[in-house]
PDB file of all heavy atoms in Angstrom:
ATOM      1  N   SER O   1      81.711  18.468 -18.182  1.00 98.00           N
ATOM      2  CA  SER O   1      82.464  19.681 -18.593  1.00 98.00           C
ATOM      3  C   SER O   1      82.034  20.218 -19.920  1.00 98.00           C
ATOM      4  O   SER O   1      81.928  21.408 -20.132  1.00 98.00           O
ATOM      5  CB  SER O   1      83.967  19.339 -18.604  1.00 98.00           C
ATOM      6  OG  SER O   1      84.273  18.395 -19.611  1.00 98.00           O
ATOM      7  N   THR O   2      81.718  19.331 -20.883  1.00 98.00           N
ATOM      8  CA  THR O   2      81.279  19.756 -22.198  1.00 98.00           C
ATOM      9  C   THR O   2      79.915  20.449 -22.118  1.00 98.00           C
ATOM     10  O   THR O   2      79.711  21.505 -22.685  1.00 98.00           O
ATOM     11  CB  THR O   2      81.226  18.570 -23.186  1.00 98.00           C
ATOM     12  OG1 THR O   2      82.515  17.961 -23.240  1.00 98.00           O
ATOM     13  CG2 THR O   2      80.808  19.039 -24.550  1.00 98.00           C
ATOM     14  N   LEU O   3      78.994  19.798 -21.443  1.00 98.00           N
ATOM     15  CA  LEU O   3      77.624  20.380 -21.339  1.00 98.00           C
ATOM     16  C   LEU O   3      77.641  21.725 -20.636  1.00 98.00           C
ATOM     17  O   LEU O   3      76.982  22.693 -21.080  1.00 98.00           O
ATOM     18  CB  LEU O   3      76.677  19.382 -20.666  1.00 98.00           C
ATOM     19  CG  LEU O   3      76.345  18.113 -21.420  1.00 98.00           C
ATOM     20  CD1 LEU O   3      75.545  17.186 -20.550  1.00 98.00           C
ATOM     21  CD2 LEU O   3      75.564  18.422 -22.721  1.00 98.00           C
ATOM     22  N   THR O   4      78.349  21.804 -19.512  1.00 98.00           N
ATOM     23  CA  THR O   4      78.323  23.047 -18.766  1.00 98.00           C
ATOM     24  C   THR O   4      79.158  24.153 -19.374  1.00 98.00           C
ATOM     25  O   THR O   4      79.047  25.317 -18.963  1.00 98.00           O
ATOM     26  CB  THR O   4      78.803  22.791 -17.298  1.00 98.00           C
ATOM     27  OG1 THR O   4      80.100  22.188 -17.308  1.00 98.00           O
ATOM     28  CG2 THR O   4      77.845  21.918 -16.566  1.00 98.00           C
ATOM     29  N   SER O   5      79.917  23.815 -20.409  1.00 98.00           N
ATOM     30  CA  SER O   5      80.607  24.860 -21.165  1.00 98.00           C
ATOM     31  C   SER O   5      79.650  25.492 -22.161  1.00 98.00           C
ATOM     32  O   SER O   5      79.977  26.565 -22.742  1.00 98.00           O
ATOM     33  CB  SER O   5      81.816  24.274 -21.888  1.00 98.00           C
ATOM     34  OG  SER O   5      81.439  23.461 -22.993  1.00 98.00           O
ATOM     35  N   MET O   6      78.505  24.888 -22.385  1.00 98.00           N
ATOM     36  CA  MET O   6      77.544  25.355 -23.381  1.00 98.00           C
ATOM     37  C   MET O   6      76.277  25.978 -22.742  1.00 98.00           C
ATOM     38  O   MET O   6      75.675  26.896 -23.295  1.00 98.00           O
ATOM     39  CB  MET O   6      77.157  24.220 -24.320  1.00 98.00           C
ATOM     40  CG  MET O   6      78.316  23.618 -25.079  1.00 98.00           C
ATOM     41  SD  MET O   6      77.699  22.229 -26.118  1.00 98.00           S
ATOM     42  CE  MET O   6      79.294  21.550 -26.709  1.00 98.00           C
ATOM     43  N   VAL O   7      75.848  25.391 -21.607  1.00 98.00           N
ATOM     44  CA  VAL O   7      74.619  25.850 -20.964  1.00 98.00           C
ATOM     45  C   VAL O   7      74.844  25.874 -19.462  1.00 98.00           C
ATOM     46  O   VAL O   7      75.733  25.199 -18.929  1.00 98.00           O
ATOM     47  CB  VAL O   7      73.426  24.918 -21.292  1.00 98.00           C
ATOM     48  CG1 VAL O   7      73.111  24.943 -22.773  1.00 98.00           C
ATOM     49  CG2 VAL O   7      73.672  23.503 -20.801  1.00 98.00           C
ATOM     50  N   PRO O   8      74.013  26.639 -18.707  1.00 98.00           N
ATOM     51  CA  PRO O   8      74.162  26.665 -17.235  1.00 98.00           C
ATOM     52  C   PRO O   8      73.902  25.288 -16.610  1.00 98.00           C
ATOM     53  O   PRO O   8      73.075  24.550 -17.107  1.00 98.00           O
ATOM     54  CB  PRO O   8      73.100  27.684 -16.799  1.00 98.00           C
ATOM     55  CG  PRO O   8      72.818  28.504 -18.018  1.00 98.00           C
ATOM     56  CD  PRO O   8      72.998  27.569 -19.181  1.00 98.00           C
ATOM     57  N   ARG O   9      74.640  24.977 -15.563  1.00 98.00           N
ATOM     58  CA  ARG O   9      74.485  23.701 -14.901  1.00 98.00           C
ATOM     59  C   ARG O   9      73.031  23.455 -14.456  1.00 98.00           C
ATOM     60  O   ARG O   9      72.537  22.299 -14.627  1.00 98.00           O
ATOM     61  CB  ARG O   9      75.405  23.663 -13.660  1.00 98.00           C
ATOM     62  CG  ARG O   9      75.118  22.559 -12.641  1.00 98.00           C
ATOM     63  CD  ARG O   9      75.414  21.173 -13.247  1.00 98.00           C
ATOM     64  NE  ARG O   9      75.127  20.077 -12.299  1.00 98.00           N
ATOM     65  CZ  ARG O   9      73.934  19.451 -12.236  1.00 98.00           C
ATOM     66  NH1 ARG O   9      72.935  19.793 -13.012  1.00 98.00           N
ATOM     67  NH2 ARG O   9      73.784  18.445 -11.390  1.00 98.00           N
ATOM     68  N   ASP O  10      72.357  24.460 -13.931  1.00 97.00           N
ATOM     69  CA  ASP O  10      71.048  24.246 -13.387  1.00 97.00           C
ATOM     70  C   ASP O  10      69.989  23.966 -14.464  1.00 97.00           C
ATOM     71  O   ASP O  10      68.847  23.572 -14.134  1.00 97.00           O
ATOM     72  CB  ASP O  10      70.614  25.450 -12.535  1.00 97.00           C
ATOM     73  CG  ASP O  10      71.348  25.510 -11.220  1.00 97.00           C
ATOM     74  OD1 ASP O  10      71.977  24.519 -10.830  1.00 97.00           O
ATOM     75  OD2 ASP O  10      71.288  26.584 -10.564  1.00 97.00           O
ATOM     76  N   SER O  11      70.324  24.147 -15.721  1.00 98.00           N
ATOM     77  CA  SER O  11      69.359  23.839 -16.793  1.00 98.00           C
ATOM     78  C   SER O  11      69.423  22.370 -17.198  1.00 98.00           C
ATOM     79  O   SER O  11      68.669  21.933 -18.043  1.00 98.00           O
ATOM     80  CB  SER O  11      69.623  24.726 -18.027  1.00 98.00           C
ATOM     81  OG  SER O  11      70.901  24.399 -18.593  1.00 98.00           O
ATOM     82  N   LEU O  12      70.375  21.630 -16.609  1.00 98.00           N
ATOM     83  CA  LEU O  12      70.577  20.245 -16.932  1.00 98.00           C
ATOM     84  C   LEU O  12      70.105  19.305 -15.855  1.00 98.00           C
ATOM     85  O   LEU O  12      70.104  19.679 -14.652  1.00 98.00           O
ATOM     86  CB  LEU O  12      72.073  19.972 -17.163  1.00 98.00           C
ATOM     87  CG  LEU O  12      72.783  20.780 -18.248  1.00 98.00           C
ATOM     88  CD1 LEU O  12      74.276  20.641 -18.118  1.00 98.00           C
ATOM     89  CD2 LEU O  12      72.322  20.327 -19.623  1.00 98.00           C
ATOM     90  N   VAL O  13      69.701  18.134 -16.198  1.00 98.00           N
ATOM     91  CA  VAL O  13      69.410  17.041 -15.258  1.00 98.00           C
ATOM     92  C   VAL O  13      70.462  15.966 -15.506  1.00 98.00           C
ATOM     93  O   VAL O  13      70.431  15.303 -16.529  1.00 98.00           O
ATOM     94  CB  VAL O  13      68.006  16.473 -15.398  1.00 98.00           C
ATOM     95  CG1 VAL O  13      67.784  15.308 -14.447  1.00 98.00           C
ATOM     96  CG2 VAL O  13      66.953  17.575 -15.167  1.00 98.00           C
ATOM     97  N   LEU O  14      71.451  15.859 -14.593  1.00 98.00           N
ATOM     98  CA  LEU O  14      72.562  14.925 -14.752  1.00 98.00           C
ATOM     99  C   LEU O  14      72.398  13.737 -13.793  1.00 98.00           C
ATOM    100  O   LEU O  14      72.262  13.902 -12.601  1.00 98.00           O
ATOM    101  CB  LEU O  14      73.876  15.647 -14.449  1.00 98.00           C
ATOM    102  CG  LEU O  14      74.224  16.839 -15.381  1.00 98.00           C
ATOM    103  CD1 LEU O  14      75.578  17.419 -14.941  1.00 98.00           C
ATOM    104  CD2 LEU O  14      74.242  16.451 -16.826  1.00 98.00           C
ATOM    105  N   ALA O  15      72.401  12.551 -14.423  1.00 98.00           N
ATOM    106  CA  ALA O  15      72.301  11.320 -13.645  1.00 98.00           C
ATOM    107  C   ALA O  15      73.624  10.572 -13.759  1.00 98.00           C
ATOM    108  O   ALA O  15      74.235  10.511 -14.809  1.00 98.00           O
ATOM    109  CB  ALA O  15      71.172  10.460 -14.162  1.00 98.00           C
ATOM    110  N   THR O  16      74.044   9.969 -12.640  1.00 98.00           N
ATOM    111  CA  THR O  16      75.183   9.064 -12.708  1.00 98.00           C
ATOM    112  C   THR O  16      74.900   7.865 -11.834  1.00 98.00           C
ATOM    113  O   THR O  16      73.891   7.835 -11.112  1.00 98.00           O
ATOM    114  CB  THR O  16      76.507   9.775 -12.297  1.00 98.00           C
ATOM    115  OG1 THR O  16      77.586   8.899 -12.668  1.00 98.00           O
ATOM    116  CG2 THR O  16      76.552  10.081 -10.824  1.00 98.00           C
ATOM    117  N   LYS O  17      75.790   6.889 -11.876  1.00 98.00           N
ATOM    118  CA  LYS O  17      75.529   5.611 -11.162  1.00 98.00           C
ATOM    119  C   LYS O  17      76.750   5.186 -10.396  1.00 98.00           C
ATOM    120  O   LYS O  17      77.888   5.612 -10.694  1.00 98.00           O
ATOM    121  CB  LYS O  17      75.154   4.518 -12.186  1.00 98.00           C
ATOM    122  CG  LYS O  17      74.071   4.883 -13.150  1.00 98.00           C
ATOM    123  CD  LYS O  17      73.736   3.712 -14.044  1.00 98.00           C
ATOM    124  CE  LYS O  17      73.000   4.138 -15.285  1.00 98.00           C
ATOM    125  NZ  LYS O  17      73.856   4.823 -16.263  1.00 98.00           N
ATOM    126  N   ALA O  18      76.494   4.286  -9.468  1.00 97.00           N
ATOM    127  CA  ALA O  18      77.587   3.651  -8.682  1.00 97.00           C
ATOM    128  C   ALA O  18      77.216   2.240  -8.390  1.00 97.00           C
ATOM    129  O   ALA O  18      76.041   1.898  -8.166  1.00 97.00           O
ATOM    130  CB  ALA O  18      77.800   4.414  -7.377  1.00 97.00           C
ATOM    131  N   PHE O  19      78.203   1.375  -8.371  1.00 97.00           N
ATOM    132  CA  PHE O  19      78.107  -0.035  -7.961  1.00 97.00           C
ATOM    133  C   PHE O  19      79.352  -0.805  -8.424  1.00 97.00           C
ATOM    134  O   PHE O  19      80.034  -1.451  -7.649  1.00 97.00           O
ATOM    135  CB  PHE O  19      76.863  -0.746  -8.499  1.00 97.00           C
ATOM    136  CG  PHE O  19      76.905  -2.220  -8.274  1.00 97.00           C
ATOM    137  CD1 PHE O  19      76.585  -2.746  -7.029  1.00 97.00           C
ATOM    138  CD2 PHE O  19      77.257  -3.128  -9.266  1.00 97.00           C
ATOM    139  CE1 PHE O  19      76.645  -4.144  -6.774  1.00 97.00           C
ATOM    140  CE2 PHE O  19      77.293  -4.503  -9.027  1.00 97.00           C
ATOM    141  CZ  PHE O  19      77.005  -5.002  -7.790  1.00 97.00           C
ATOM    142  N   TYR O  20      79.629  -0.739  -9.721  1.00 95.00           N
ATOM    143  CA  TYR O  20      80.664  -1.590 -10.329  1.00 95.00           C
ATOM    144  C   TYR O  20      82.068  -1.191  -9.859  1.00 95.00           C
ATOM    145  O   TYR O  20      82.306  -0.036  -9.438  1.00 95.00           O
ATOM    146  CB  TYR O  20      80.586  -1.591 -11.823  1.00 95.00           C
ATOM    147  CG  TYR O  20      79.343  -2.316 -12.338  1.00 95.00           C
ATOM    148  CD1 TYR O  20      78.456  -1.701 -13.167  1.00 95.00           C
ATOM    149  CD2 TYR O  20      79.139  -3.650 -11.981  1.00 95.00           C
ATOM    150  CE1 TYR O  20      77.311  -2.383 -13.627  1.00 95.00           C
ATOM    151  CE2 TYR O  20      78.027  -4.334 -12.414  1.00 95.00           C
ATOM    152  CZ  TYR O  20      77.126  -3.686 -13.245  1.00 95.00           C
ATOM    153  OH  TYR O  20      76.014  -4.365 -13.668  1.00 95.00           O
ATOM    154  N   ALA O  21      82.973  -2.148  -9.936  1.00 94.00           N
ATOM    155  CA  ALA O  21      84.356  -1.937  -9.418  1.00 94.00           C
ATOM    156  C   ALA O  21      85.038  -0.815 -10.185  1.00 94.00           C
ATOM    157  O   ALA O  21      85.023  -0.798 -11.423  1.00 94.00           O
ATOM    158  CB  ALA O  21      85.152  -3.200  -9.552  1.00 94.00           C
ATOM    159  N   MET O  22      85.664   0.082  -9.444  1.00 94.00           N
ATOM    160  CA  MET O  22      86.435   1.174 -10.059  1.00 94.00           C
ATOM    161  C   MET O  22      87.954   0.954  -9.917  1.00 94.00           C
ATOM    162  O   MET O  22      88.742   1.708 -10.439  1.00 94.00           O
ATOM    163  CB  MET O  22      86.039   2.500  -9.393  1.00 94.00           C
ATOM    164  CG  MET O  22      84.609   2.919  -9.659  1.00 94.00           C
ATOM    165  SD  MET O  22      84.313   3.302 -11.396  1.00 94.00           S
ATOM    166  CE  MET O  22      85.156   4.885 -11.504  1.00 94.00           C
ATOM    167  N   SER O  23      88.317  -0.078  -9.187  1.00 92.00           N
ATOM    168  CA  SER O  23      89.725  -0.414  -9.039  1.00 92.00           C
ATOM    169  C   SER O  23      89.790  -1.842  -8.455  1.00 92.00           C
ATOM    170  O   SER O  23      88.747  -2.510  -8.300  1.00 92.00           O
ATOM    171  CB  SER O  23      90.445   0.560  -8.079  1.00 92.00           C
ATOM    172  OG  SER O  23      90.014   0.316  -6.726  1.00 92.00           O
ATOM    173  N   GLY O  24      90.974  -2.293  -8.122  1.00 91.00           N
ATOM    174  CA  GLY O  24      91.107  -3.603  -7.543  1.00 91.00           C
ATOM    175  C   GLY O  24      90.864  -3.657  -6.071  1.00 91.00           C
ATOM    176  O   GLY O  24      90.859  -4.758  -5.437  1.00 91.00           O
ATOM    177  N   ASP O  25      90.613  -2.538  -5.445  1.00 94.00           N
ATOM    178  CA  ASP O  25      90.304  -2.469  -4.001  1.00 94.00           C
ATOM    179  C   ASP O  25      88.949  -3.135  -3.739  1.00 94.00           C
ATOM    180  O   ASP O  25      87.963  -2.780  -4.356  1.00 94.00           O
ATOM    181  CB  ASP O  25      90.294  -1.006  -3.595  1.00 94.00           C
ATOM    182  CG  ASP O  25      90.081  -0.815  -2.065  1.00 94.00           C
ATOM    183  OD1 ASP O  25      89.587  -1.761  -1.389  1.00 94.00           O
ATOM    184  OD2 ASP O  25      90.361   0.291  -1.575  1.00 94.00           O
ATOM    185  N   PRO O  26      88.905  -4.109  -2.825  1.00 94.00           N
ATOM    186  CA  PRO O  26      87.608  -4.778  -2.562  1.00 94.00           C
ATOM    187  C   PRO O  26      86.539  -3.874  -2.019  1.00 94.00           C
ATOM    188  O   PRO O  26      85.344  -4.201  -2.096  1.00 94.00           O
ATOM    189  CB  PRO O  26      88.010  -5.889  -1.531  1.00 94.00           C
ATOM    190  CG  PRO O  26      89.255  -5.406  -0.940  1.00 94.00           C
ATOM    191  CD  PRO O  26      89.987  -4.678  -2.035  1.00 94.00           C
ATOM    192  N   ASN O  27      86.917  -2.716  -1.461  1.00 96.00           N
ATOM    193  CA  ASN O  27      85.954  -1.771  -0.992  1.00 96.00           C
ATOM    194  C   ASN O  27      85.547  -0.731  -2.002  1.00 96.00           C
ATOM    195  O   ASN O  27      84.698   0.141  -1.728  1.00 96.00           O
ATOM    196  CB  ASN O  27      86.454  -1.051   0.295  1.00 96.00           C
ATOM    197  CG  ASN O  27      86.372  -1.912   1.504  1.00 96.00           C
ATOM    198  OD1 ASN O  27      85.364  -2.579   1.783  1.00 96.00           O
ATOM    199  ND2 ASN O  27      87.436  -1.966   2.289  1.00 96.00           N
ATOM    200  N   ASP O  28      86.129  -0.811  -3.204  1.00 95.00           N
ATOM    201  CA  ASP O  28      85.828   0.180  -4.257  1.00 95.00           C
ATOM    202  C   ASP O  28      84.818  -0.407  -5.235  1.00 95.00           C
ATOM    203  O   ASP O  28      84.955  -0.284  -6.465  1.00 95.00           O
ATOM    204  CB  ASP O  28      87.149   0.524  -5.000  1.00 95.00           C
ATOM    205  CG  ASP O  28      87.051   1.832  -5.761  1.00 95.00           C
ATOM    206  OD1 ASP O  28      86.072   2.558  -5.530  1.00 95.00           O
ATOM    207  OD2 ASP O  28      87.932   2.107  -6.564  1.00 95.00           O
ATOM    208  N   ARG O  29      83.786  -1.008  -4.659  1.00 95.00           N
ATOM    209  CA  ARG O  29      82.689  -1.584  -5.441  1.00 95.00           C
ATOM    210  C   ARG O  29      81.512  -1.866  -4.563  1.00 95.00           C
ATOM    211  O   ARG O  29      81.626  -1.827  -3.354  1.00 95.00           O
ATOM    212  CB  ARG O  29      83.200  -2.906  -6.101  1.00 95.00           C
ATOM    213  CG  ARG O  29      83.475  -3.998  -5.079  1.00 95.00           C
ATOM    214  CD  ARG O  29      84.240  -5.163  -5.685  1.00 95.00           C
ATOM    215  NE  ARG O  29      85.609  -4.701  -6.057  1.00 95.00           N
ATOM    216  CZ  ARG O  29      86.428  -5.376  -6.830  1.00 95.00           C
ATOM    217  NH1 ARG O  29      86.057  -6.564  -7.359  1.00 95.00           N
ATOM    218  NH2 ARG O  29      87.646  -4.936  -7.090  1.00 95.00           N
ATOM    219  N   GLY O  30      80.340  -2.153  -5.178  1.00 96.00           N
ATOM    220  CA  GLY O  30      79.183  -2.535  -4.357  1.00 96.00           C
ATOM    221  C   GLY O  30      78.427  -1.346  -3.847  1.00 96.00           C
ATOM    222  O   GLY O  30      78.617  -0.218  -4.233  1.00 96.00           O
ATOM    223  N   LEU O  31      77.507  -1.661  -2.869  1.00 98.00           N
ATOM    224  CA  LEU O  31      76.630  -0.658  -2.309  1.00 98.00           C
ATOM    225  C   LEU O  31      76.833  -0.450  -0.826  1.00 98.00           C
ATOM    226  O   LEU O  31      75.883  -0.116  -0.100  1.00 98.00           O
ATOM    227  CB  LEU O  31      75.183  -1.040  -2.586  1.00 98.00           C
ATOM    228  CG  LEU O  31      74.771  -1.150  -4.091  1.00 98.00           C
ATOM    229  CD1 LEU O  31      73.311  -1.571  -4.191  1.00 98.00           C
ATOM    230  CD2 LEU O  31      75.052   0.152  -4.829  1.00 98.00           C
ATOM    231  N   SER O  32      78.066  -0.661  -0.364  1.00 98.00           N
ATOM    232  CA  SER O  32      78.351  -0.387   1.042  1.00 98.00           C
ATOM    233  C   SER O  32      78.320   1.092   1.298  1.00 98.00           C
ATOM    234  O   SER O  32      78.472   1.933   0.352  1.00 98.00           O
ATOM    235  CB  SER O  32      79.723  -0.934   1.413  1.00 98.00           C
ATOM    236  OG  SER O  32      80.748  -0.173   0.744  1.00 98.00           O
ATOM    237  N   ARG O  33      78.174   1.483   2.550  1.00 98.00           N
ATOM    238  CA  ARG O  33      78.210   2.912   2.891  1.00 98.00           C
ATOM    239  C   ARG O  33      79.565   3.522   2.451  1.00 98.00           C
ATOM    240  O   ARG O  33      79.582   4.625   1.885  1.00 98.00           O
ATOM    241  CB  ARG O  33      78.017   3.084   4.382  1.00 98.00           C
ATOM    242  CG  ARG O  33      78.028   4.548   4.865  1.00 98.00           C
ATOM    243  CD  ARG O  33      77.820   4.677   6.360  1.00 98.00           C
ATOM    244  NE  ARG O  33      77.701   6.075   6.710  1.00 98.00           N
ATOM    245  CZ  ARG O  33      76.560   6.765   6.674  1.00 98.00           C
ATOM    246  NH1 ARG O  33      75.427   6.170   6.285  1.00 98.00           N
ATOM    247  NH2 ARG O  33      76.515   8.036   6.984  1.00 98.00           N
ATOM    248  N   LYS O  34      80.635   2.812   2.702  1.00 98.00           N
ATOM    249  CA  LYS O  34      81.962   3.318   2.342  1.00 98.00           C
ATOM    250  C   LYS O  34      82.060   3.604   0.877  1.00 98.00           C
ATOM    251  O   LYS O  34      82.522   4.684   0.470  1.00 98.00           O
ATOM    252  CB  LYS O  34      83.043   2.305   2.768  1.00 98.00           C
ATOM    253  CG  LYS O  34      84.473   2.720   2.432  1.00 98.00           C
ATOM    254  CD  LYS O  34      85.459   1.705   2.965  1.00 98.00           C
ATOM    255  CE  LYS O  34      86.939   2.047   2.561  1.00 98.00           C
ATOM    256  NZ  LYS O  34      87.332   3.333   3.150  1.00 98.00           N
ATOM    257  N   HIS O  35      81.629   2.638   0.045  1.00 98.00           N
ATOM    258  CA  HIS O  35      81.790   2.829  -1.400  1.00 98.00           C
ATOM    259  C   HIS O  35      80.843   3.903  -1.932  1.00 98.00           C
ATOM    260  O   HIS O  35      81.237   4.700  -2.805  1.00 98.00           O
ATOM    261  CB  HIS O  35      81.534   1.509  -2.115  1.00 98.00           C
ATOM    262  CG  HIS O  35      81.816   1.618  -3.593  1.00 98.00           C
ATOM    263  ND1 HIS O  35      80.832   1.325  -4.541  1.00 98.00           N
ATOM    264  CD2 HIS O  35      82.892   2.032  -4.295  1.00 98.00           C
ATOM    265  CE1 HIS O  35      81.362   1.504  -5.766  1.00 98.00           C
ATOM    266  NE2 HIS O  35      82.565   1.943  -5.619  1.00 98.00           N
ATOM    267  N   LEU O  36      79.608   3.930  -1.454  1.00 98.00           N
ATOM    268  CA  LEU O  36      78.661   4.946  -1.975  1.00 98.00           C
ATOM    269  C   LEU O  36      79.106   6.351  -1.672  1.00 98.00           C
ATOM    270  O   LEU O  36      79.072   7.240  -2.550  1.00 98.00           O
ATOM    271  CB  LEU O  36      77.252   4.648  -1.406  1.00 98.00           C
ATOM    272  CG  LEU O  36      76.533   3.466  -1.992  1.00 98.00           C
ATOM    273  CD1 LEU O  36      75.249   3.216  -1.214  1.00 98.00           C
ATOM    274  CD2 LEU O  36      76.234   3.669  -3.476  1.00 98.00           C
ATOM    275  N   LEU O  37      79.517   6.603  -0.416  1.00 98.00           N
ATOM    276  CA  LEU O  37      79.906   7.968  -0.070  1.00 98.00           C
ATOM    277  C   LEU O  37      81.166   8.358  -0.823  1.00 98.00           C
ATOM    278  O   LEU O  37      81.265   9.501  -1.344  1.00 98.00           O
ATOM    279  CB  LEU O  37      80.151   8.057   1.432  1.00 98.00           C
ATOM    280  CG  LEU O  37      78.920   8.445   2.272  1.00 98.00           C
ATOM    281  CD1 LEU O  37      77.756   7.498   2.081  1.00 98.00           C
ATOM    282  CD2 LEU O  37      79.281   8.605   3.750  1.00 98.00           C
ATOM    283  N   ALA O  38      82.146   7.445  -0.933  1.00 98.00           N
ATOM    284  CA  ALA O  38      83.382   7.739  -1.675  1.00 98.00           C
ATOM    285  C   ALA O  38      83.078   7.943  -3.160  1.00 98.00           C
ATOM    286  O   ALA O  38      83.653   8.828  -3.816  1.00 98.00           O
ATOM    287  CB  ALA O  38      84.393   6.666  -1.487  1.00 98.00           C
ATOM    288  N   SER O  39      82.150   7.127  -3.707  1.00 98.00           N
ATOM    289  CA  SER O  39      81.843   7.223  -5.146  1.00 98.00           C
ATOM    290  C   SER O  39      81.225   8.556  -5.473  1.00 98.00           C
ATOM    291  O   SER O  39      81.554   9.189  -6.522  1.00 98.00           O
ATOM    292  CB  SER O  39      80.878   6.101  -5.526  1.00 98.00           C
ATOM    293  OG  SER O  39      81.538   4.845  -5.451  1.00 98.00           O
TER     294      SER O  39
END
């Protein structure tokens, strides 16, 4: 939100990651299809 308030989104290369637990749900972690798509 901060970056795109200053420059156009397409001028940025934004990387993010998934794997680590985001809650206590056993399916809310790891590299399963369920977790990756939801993440």
Side-chain angles (χ1 to χ4, degrees):
S1 65
T2 302
L3 291 173
T4 55
S5 73
M6 300 178 188
V7 297
R9 165 67 181 92
D10 287 346
S11 67
L12 302 167
V13 176
L14 299 180
T16 193
K17 310 182 198 73
F19 171 79
Y20 290 124
M22 294 294 287
S23 72
D25 184 340
N27 283 314
D28 200 13
R29 67 194 68 193
L31 299 179
S32 68
R33 180 179 186 87
K34 179 177 177 63
H35 185 237
L36 286 173
L37 269 58
S39 293

